[in-house]
Amino acid sequence: MRKKGQLEMELSARITQWEKEYLGRGSLTCKADLLRDLAIVTLQGVLTPAEYDLAAKSAGREQLKKYRNNLVESGRAQLEAIVADVLGRRITSLHTDISTKTGERLIVFRLDAAWDSGIDKP
């Protein structure tokens, strides 16, 4: 049976792989944290230099956020499969946002049950 840290590491690795294969570019770092029925994924360094330039203006920020959020939503089925494979849970909701100042993206998955429900605890 895998421990919490192992699951978080595997989820981080799989999300990074998904970014590279589906979005064509991966983040610089990716860290997943499991908390009750949430899987919180923090991705650092997701913006390109051109996207930072685009985000310098208000209209550009809005376009960039909408575009990047739509890309994640378009890959939702794949993300659901990754979460189901790693955690054995279904996603009931997905929330995401990106900081155009820091280039950080958060993806929050609400799971159908606590990540550790059904696991025998010591």
Side-chain angles (χ1 to χ4, degrees), residues 54-80:
L54 181 64
K57 296 180 182 169
S58 177
R61 278 191 296 276
E62 292 173 23
Q63 286 178 326
L64 182 61
K65 282 180 174 263
K66 186 174 182 178
Y67 174 71
R68 286 297 200 118
N69 288 342
N70 286 343
L71 284 177
V72 170
E73 279 293 333
S74 71
R76 183 182 175 121
Q78 296 162 343
L79 292 170
E80 288 177 347

Short mmCIF file of all heavy atoms in Angstrom, two decimals, residues 54-80:
data_model
loop_
_atom_site.label_atom_id
_atom_site.label_comp_id
_atom_site.label_asym_id
_atom_site.label_seq_id
_atom_site.Cartn_x
_atom_site.Cartn_y
_atom_site.Cartn_z
N LEU A 54 2.47 39.45 -22.67
CA LEU A 54 1.04 39.59 -22.92
C LEU A 54 0.30 39.98 -21.64
O LEU A 54 -0.61 40.80 -21.66
CB LEU A 54 0.47 38.27 -23.47
CG LEU A 54 -1.01 38.24 -23.82
CD1 LEU A 54 -1.31 39.20 -24.95
CD2 LEU A 54 -1.43 36.83 -24.20
N ALA A 55 0.73 39.44 -20.52
CA ALA A 55 0.07 39.69 -19.24
C ALA A 55 0.38 41.07 -18.67
O ALA A 55 -0.21 41.48 -17.68
CB ALA A 55 0.46 38.62 -18.23
N ALA A 56 1.27 41.81 -19.31
CA ALA A 56 1.60 43.15 -18.81
C ALA A 56 0.42 44.11 -18.95
O ALA A 56 0.38 45.13 -18.27
CB ALA A 56 2.82 43.69 -19.55
N LYS A 57 -0.52 43.79 -19.81
CA LYS A 57 -1.70 44.64 -20.00
C LYS A 57 -2.94 43.91 -19.50
O LYS A 57 -3.02 42.68 -19.60
CB LYS A 57 -1.87 44.99 -21.48
CG LYS A 57 -0.72 45.80 -22.02
CD LYS A 57 -0.90 46.13 -23.46
CE LYS A 57 0.32 46.91 -23.94
NZ LYS A 57 0.37 47.04 -25.36
N SER A 58 -3.90 44.68 -19.00
CA SER A 58 -5.11 44.10 -18.41
C SER A 58 -5.83 43.16 -19.38
O SER A 58 -6.21 42.05 -19.01
CB SER A 58 -6.05 45.22 -17.96
OG SER A 58 -7.23 44.67 -17.46
N ALA A 59 -6.03 43.61 -20.61
CA ALA A 59 -6.73 42.76 -21.58
C ALA A 59 -5.95 41.48 -21.85
O ALA A 59 -6.53 40.41 -22.02
CB ALA A 59 -6.95 43.52 -22.88
N GLY A 60 -4.63 41.59 -21.87
CA GLY A 60 -3.79 40.41 -22.10
C GLY A 60 -3.90 39.41 -20.96
O GLY A 60 -3.92 38.20 -21.18
N ARG A 61 -3.96 39.92 -19.73
CA ARG A 61 -4.10 39.03 -18.56
C ARG A 61 -5.38 38.23 -18.66
O ARG A 61 -5.39 37.03 -18.43
CB ARG A 61 -4.08 39.84 -17.27
CG ARG A 61 -2.72 40.21 -16.78
CD ARG A 61 -2.77 40.77 -15.37
NE ARG A 61 -3.51 42.02 -15.28
CZ ARG A 61 -3.01 43.21 -15.54
NH1 ARG A 61 -1.75 43.33 -15.90
NH2 ARG A 61 -3.75 44.30 -15.43
N GLU A 62 -6.46 38.92 -18.99
CA GLU A 62 -7.75 38.24 -19.08
C GLU A 62 -7.74 37.18 -20.18
O GLU A 62 -8.24 36.07 -19.98
CB GLU A 62 -8.86 39.27 -19.34
CG GLU A 62 -9.10 40.17 -18.17
CD GLU A 62 -10.08 41.29 -18.48
OE1 GLU A 62 -10.88 41.13 -19.41
OE2 GLU A 62 -10.03 42.31 -17.79
N GLN A 63 -7.18 37.52 -21.33
CA GLN A 63 -7.10 36.56 -22.44
C GLN A 63 -6.26 35.35 -22.04
O GLN A 63 -6.63 34.20 -22.30
CB GLN A 63 -6.45 37.19 -23.67
CG GLN A 63 -7.31 38.15 -24.41
CD GLN A 63 -6.57 38.76 -25.58
OE1 GLN A 63 -5.36 38.97 -25.51
NE2 GLN A 63 -7.29 39.01 -26.65
N LEU A 64 -5.13 35.61 -21.42
CA LEU A 64 -4.21 34.54 -21.03
C LEU A 64 -4.86 33.60 -20.01
O LEU A 64 -4.80 32.37 -20.16
CB LEU A 64 -2.93 35.15 -20.46
CG LEU A 64 -1.84 34.19 -20.05
CD1 LEU A 64 -1.36 33.36 -21.24
CD2 LEU A 64 -0.67 34.95 -19.46
N LYS A 65 -5.50 34.17 -18.99
CA LYS A 65 -6.16 33.34 -17.98
C LYS A 65 -7.26 32.48 -18.62
O LYS A 65 -7.35 31.28 -18.35
CB LYS A 65 -6.77 34.20 -16.88
CG LYS A 65 -5.77 34.70 -15.87
CD LYS A 65 -6.48 35.55 -14.82
CE LYS A 65 -5.53 35.95 -13.72
NZ LYS A 65 -5.63 35.08 -12.57
N LYS A 66 -8.07 33.10 -19.46
CA LYS A 66 -9.17 32.37 -20.09
C LYS A 66 -8.63 31.26 -20.99
O LYS A 66 -9.10 30.12 -20.96
CB LYS A 66 -10.04 33.34 -20.90
CG LYS A 66 -11.26 32.72 -21.49
CD LYS A 66 -12.14 33.76 -22.14
CE LYS A 66 -13.40 33.09 -22.68
NZ LYS A 66 -14.31 34.04 -23.27
N TYR A 67 -7.62 31.60 -21.79
CA TYR A 67 -7.03 30.62 -22.71
C TYR A 67 -6.42 29.44 -21.94
O TYR A 67 -6.69 28.27 -22.25
CB TYR A 67 -5.97 31.32 -23.56
CG TYR A 67 -5.18 30.40 -24.45
CD1 TYR A 67 -5.77 29.81 -25.57
CD2 TYR A 67 -3.85 30.12 -24.17
CE1 TYR A 67 -5.05 28.97 -26.38
CE2 TYR A 67 -3.12 29.29 -24.98
CZ TYR A 67 -3.71 28.71 -26.09
OH TYR A 67 -2.99 27.87 -26.88
N ARG A 68 -5.62 29.75 -20.93
CA ARG A 68 -4.96 28.67 -20.17
C ARG A 68 -5.99 27.83 -19.40
O ARG A 68 -5.84 26.61 -19.31
CB ARG A 68 -3.93 29.26 -19.19
CG ARG A 68 -2.66 29.75 -19.86
CD ARG A 68 -1.94 28.58 -20.51
NE ARG A 68 -0.55 28.87 -20.75
CZ ARG A 68 0.46 28.18 -20.20
NH1 ARG A 68 0.23 27.17 -19.42
NH2 ARG A 68 1.68 28.50 -20.48
N ASN A 69 -7.02 28.46 -18.84
CA ASN A 69 -8.04 27.69 -18.14
C ASN A 69 -8.83 26.80 -19.11
O ASN A 69 -9.17 25.66 -18.78
CB ASN A 69 -8.98 28.61 -17.36
CG ASN A 69 -8.31 29.21 -16.14
OD1 ASN A 69 -7.29 28.70 -15.68
ND2 ASN A 69 -8.87 30.27 -15.63
N ASN A 70 -9.09 27.31 -20.30
CA ASN A 70 -9.77 26.50 -21.31
C ASN A 70 -8.92 25.30 -21.72
O ASN A 70 -9.46 24.21 -21.97
CB ASN A 70 -10.14 27.34 -22.53
CG ASN A 70 -11.31 28.26 -22.26
OD1 ASN A 70 -12.05 28.10 -21.29
ND2 ASN A 70 -11.47 29.27 -23.11
N LEU A 71 -7.61 25.49 -21.79
CA LEU A 71 -6.74 24.36 -22.13
C LEU A 71 -6.83 23.26 -21.08
O LEU A 71 -6.91 22.07 -21.41
CB LEU A 71 -5.28 24.82 -22.26
CG LEU A 71 -4.91 25.57 -23.52
CD1 LEU A 71 -3.45 26.03 -23.45
CD2 LEU A 71 -5.13 24.72 -24.76
N VAL A 72 -6.82 23.66 -19.81
CA VAL A 72 -6.93 22.65 -18.73
C VAL A 72 -8.28 21.96 -18.81
O VAL A 72 -8.38 20.74 -18.72
CB VAL A 72 -6.70 23.30 -17.35
CG1 VAL A 72 -7.04 22.32 -16.24
CG2 VAL A 72 -5.25 23.76 -17.22
N GLU A 73 -9.34 22.75 -19.01
CA GLU A 73 -10.69 22.15 -19.10
C GLU A 73 -10.78 21.18 -20.28
O GLU A 73 -11.45 20.15 -20.19
CB GLU A 73 -11.76 23.23 -19.23
CG GLU A 73 -12.14 23.87 -17.92
CD GLU A 73 -12.86 22.91 -16.97
OE1 GLU A 73 -13.52 21.96 -17.41
OE2 GLU A 73 -12.73 23.13 -15.75
N SER A 74 -10.11 21.50 -21.38
CA SER A 74 -10.17 20.62 -22.54
C SER A 74 -9.47 19.28 -22.28
O SER A 74 -9.74 18.29 -22.95
CB SER A 74 -9.58 21.30 -23.79
OG SER A 74 -8.17 21.43 -23.67
N GLY A 75 -8.58 19.26 -21.31
CA GLY A 75 -7.90 18.02 -20.96
C GLY A 75 -8.49 17.36 -19.72
O GLY A 75 -7.87 16.46 -19.13
N ARG A 76 -9.67 17.76 -19.33
CA ARG A 76 -10.27 17.27 -18.09
C ARG A 76 -10.41 15.75 -18.07
O ARG A 76 -10.15 15.11 -17.05
CB ARG A 76 -11.63 17.93 -17.86
CG ARG A 76 -12.26 17.49 -16.54
CD ARG A 76 -13.62 18.09 -16.33
NE ARG A 76 -14.21 17.54 -15.13
CZ ARG A 76 -14.59 18.24 -14.09
NH1 ARG A 76 -14.47 19.56 -14.12
NH2 ARG A 76 -15.11 17.66 -13.03
N ALA A 77 -10.82 15.17 -19.19
CA ALA A 77 -11.00 13.71 -19.21
C ALA A 77 -9.68 13.00 -18.90
O ALA A 77 -9.66 11.99 -18.17
CB ALA A 77 -11.54 13.27 -20.56
N GLN A 78 -8.59 13.53 -19.42
CA GLN A 78 -7.28 12.93 -19.14
C GLN A 78 -6.90 13.13 -17.67
O GLN A 78 -6.34 12.22 -17.04
CB GLN A 78 -6.22 13.54 -20.06
CG GLN A 78 -6.49 13.23 -21.52
CD GLN A 78 -5.75 14.15 -22.44
OE1 GLN A 78 -5.28 15.21 -22.05
NE2 GLN A 78 -5.63 13.74 -23.70
N LEU A 79 -7.19 14.31 -17.14
CA LEU A 79 -6.88 14.57 -15.72
C LEU A 79 -7.71 13.66 -14.82
O LEU A 79 -7.22 13.15 -13.81
CB LEU A 79 -7.13 16.04 -15.39
CG LEU A 79 -6.16 17.03 -16.04
CD1 LEU A 79 -6.64 18.46 -15.84
CD2 LEU A 79 -4.75 16.85 -15.48
N GLU A 80 -8.98 13.44 -15.19
CA GLU A 80 -9.82 12.53 -14.41
C GLU A 80 -9.23 11.12 -14.41
O GLU A 80 -9.23 10.45 -13.38
CB GLU A 80 -11.24 12.51 -14.98
CG GLU A 80 -12.01 13.77 -14.70
CD GLU A 80 -13.39 13.78 -15.33
OE1 GLU A 80 -13.69 12.92 -16.18
OE2 GLU A 80 -14.18 14.66 -14.96
#
